[in-house]
């Protein structure tokens, strides 16, 4: 006869980790054969190499060798990265979750309070109740691409601000010549640094032909240039954490939210809680695609027929462009006006939580 496992035998161990700048809180838990969840006391560690080593020692004292162990971390800011790479280098099973996925799970629970300890326990519970994807660290090329893309965005913003300041001061009453010289020097410096970043990006793509080839798929979309494609891929780490299109739209803050209660109803709008760099990068390409992409023009026209304002239509085009980039990247193919790869992506990925 097959051996029946004990109701208290652990099926899986999970360590939920809530990360902050200097410390992180870890919660160790297990799910038993009876489907009962058991949680230990939360413990705080330093967000340093010594803290990471102490975490593994603390975990080893509580884990039995019979059941698998997973670490679950939320991808907030950059503070989780050092720990994630440490766990990956030490061959530990790890899931790194986008904040919107954790938020949706939290809404399904009865938890009302929010502390670091409760957040760590929530991540532990999520890992125990769900089968989560294993984290794959981005390649060195993608990490460098993100750093360069963000540097370029900041420099572009600084250049625009300096141009506005210089124009305003030039047209003020009796502007000082030395101040104008300094503003011009600052503009020149930003322009030189932008040129240097572009050169570094060019060298990176020359050294990474596979990355350059897949970026070319995105730039085959009318309205999407190389700069936009780089930002989209860099800010999503090559879509490594994205499981489906709805999750991607939420990550970018382009998901639609509605507020309605009784007779009160507000107009639908986007959440704007996601990655602002993605939304900023997609705005001008969306406007451009309305001139050069027949499909987007027809889509926008249908929306304008129902909407008095053109802004919701532009936002919808931004969302379509982002999802199209995801589909082309995932399916490794260039844009085809007669083909809609988004349908393929919808069939291949699991529904969102």
């Amino acid at each position: 006869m097959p051996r029946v496992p004990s109701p208290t035998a652990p099926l899986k161990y999970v360590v939920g980790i809530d990360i902050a700048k200097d410390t992180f809180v870890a919660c160790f838990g297990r799910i038993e054969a009876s489907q009962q969840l058991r949680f230990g006391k939360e413990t705080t560690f330093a967000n340093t190499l010594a803290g990471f080593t102490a975490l593994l020692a603390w975990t080893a004292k509580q884990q039995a060798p019979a059941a698998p162990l997973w670490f679950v971390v939320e991808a907030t800011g950059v503070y989780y990265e050092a720990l994630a790479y440490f766990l990956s280098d030490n061959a530990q099973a790890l899931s790194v979750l986008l904040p919107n996925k954790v938020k949706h799970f939290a809404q399904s629970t009865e938890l009302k309070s929010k502390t670091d300890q409760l957040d760590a326990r929530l991540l532990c519970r999520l890992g125990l109740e769900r089968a989560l994807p294993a984290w794959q660290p981005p390649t060195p090329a993608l990490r460098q691409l993100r750093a360069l893309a963000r540097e370029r965005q900041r420099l572009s913003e600084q250049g625009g601000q300096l141009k506005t300041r210089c124009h305003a001061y030039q047209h003020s009453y009796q502007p000082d010549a030395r101040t104008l010289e300094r503003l011009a020097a600052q503009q020149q410096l930003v322009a030189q640094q932008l040129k240097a970043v572009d050169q570094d990006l060019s060298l990176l793509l020359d050294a990474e032909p596979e990355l350059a080839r897949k970026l070319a798929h995105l730039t085959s979309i009318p309205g999407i240039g190389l700069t936009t494609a780089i930002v989209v891929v860099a800010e999503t780490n090559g879509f490594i954490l994205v499981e489906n299109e709805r999750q991607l739209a939420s990550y970018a803050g382009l998901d639609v939210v509605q507020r309605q209660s009784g007779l009160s109803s507000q107009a639908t709008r986007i959440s704007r809680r996601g990655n602002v760099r993605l939304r900023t990068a997609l705005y001008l390409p969306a406007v451009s695609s309305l001139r050069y992409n027949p499909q987007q023009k027809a889509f926008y026209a249908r929306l304008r027929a129902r909407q008095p304002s053109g802004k919701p239509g532009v936002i919808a085009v931004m969302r379509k462009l982002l999802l199209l980039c995801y589909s082309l990247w995932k399916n490794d193919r260039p844009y085809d006006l007669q083909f809609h790869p988004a349908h393929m992506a919808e069939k291949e990925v699991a529904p969102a939580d």
Side-chain angles (χ1 to χ4, degrees), residues 153-184:
Q153 281 187 311
R154 287 191 293 267
L155 287 171
S156 296
E157 292 171 0
Q158 292 175 17
Q161 293 168 358
L162 283 170
K163 183 177 180 181
T164 301
R165 286 173 54 195
C166 187
H167 175 81
Y169 191 68
Q170 281 177 332
H171 292 80
S172 65
Y173 179 68
Q174 293 183 347
D176 184 84
R178 289 172 298 181
T179 300
L180 287 174
E181 288 178 2
R182 285 190 290 269
L183 286 172

Side-chain angles (χ1 to χ4, degrees), residues 74-260:
E74 183 180 358
T76 51
V78 297
Y79 300 135
Y80 78 95
E81 292 182 353
L83 175 58
Y85 282 102
F86 174 85
L87 293 174
S88 178
D89 292 341
N90 283 271
Q92 299 294 323
L94 168 69
S95 289
V96 177
L97 305 180
L98 293 175
N100 60 314
K101 187 178 184 72
V102 179
K103 176 185 174 183
H104 293 158
F105 178 78
Q107 290 173 342
S108 70
T109 68
E110 298 179 354
L111 188 65
K112 295 183 175 62
S113 299
K114 181 177 174 61
T115 66
D116 294 343
Q117 288 72 23
L118 290 175
D119 286 348
R121 178 169 292 208
L122 178 73
L123 289 168
C124 181
R125 177 179 171 182
L126 195 162
L128 292 171
E129 294 184 2
R130 305 289 175 87
L132 300 176
W135 181 67
Q136 299 176 358
T139 63
L142 280 176
R143 293 204 303 271
Q144 186 181 2
L145 188 75
R146 185 179 66 174
L148 291 172
R150 290 185 174 182
E151 183 181 3
R152 195 185 193 287
Q153 281 187 311
R154 287 191 293 267
L155 287 171
S156 296
E157 292 171 0
Q158 292 175 17
Q161 293 168 358
L162 283 170
K163 183 177 180 181
T164 301
R165 286 173 54 195
C166 187
H167 175 81
Y169 191 68
Q170 281 177 332
H171 292 80
S172 65
Y173 179 68
Q174 293 183 347
D176 184 84
R178 289 172 298 181
T179 300
L180 287 174
E181 288 178 2
R182 285 190 290 269
L183 286 172
Q186 292 176 43
Q187 286 182 294
Q188 185 178 6
L189 176 60
V190 169
Q192 291 173 350
Q193 292 180 335
L194 269 172
K195 185 177 180 180
V197 170
D198 287 338
Q199 290 175 346
D200 287 348
L201 284 169
S202 180
L203 291 173
L204 173 62
L205 296 183
D206 288 342
E208 298 289 337
E210 178 70 10
L211 176 61
R213 183 182 64 81
K214 297 193 74 172
L215 282 171
H217 293 339
L218 274 57
T219 57
S220 66
I221 305 171
I224 298 290
L226 181 59
T227 299
T228 302
I230 286 174
V231 172
V232 169
V233 172
E235 290 303 321
T236 58
N237 275 331
F239 304 100
I240 197 169
L241 296 180
V242 178
E243 299 176 40
N244 51 62
E245 295 182 345
R246 188 168 65 179
Q247 187 187 62
L248 176 59
S250 179
Y251 175 67
L254 294 173
D255 50 333
V256 177
V257 295
Q258 187 176 15
R259 298 286 185 269
Q260 189 274 332

Side-chain angles (χ1 to χ4, degrees), residues 6 8 16 23 31 54 59 83 118 131 143 154 188 212 216 248 284 336:
S6 169
T8 60
T23 61
I31 182 169
T59 302
L83 175 58
L118 290 175
R143 293 204 303 271
R154 287 191 293 267
Q188 185 178 6
L248 176 59
L284 288 179
D336 184 349

Side-chain angles (χ1 to χ4, degrees), residues 258-267:
Q258 187 176 15
R259 298 286 185 269
Q260 189 274 332
S261 178
L263 299 178
S264 174
S265 180
Q266 300 179 12

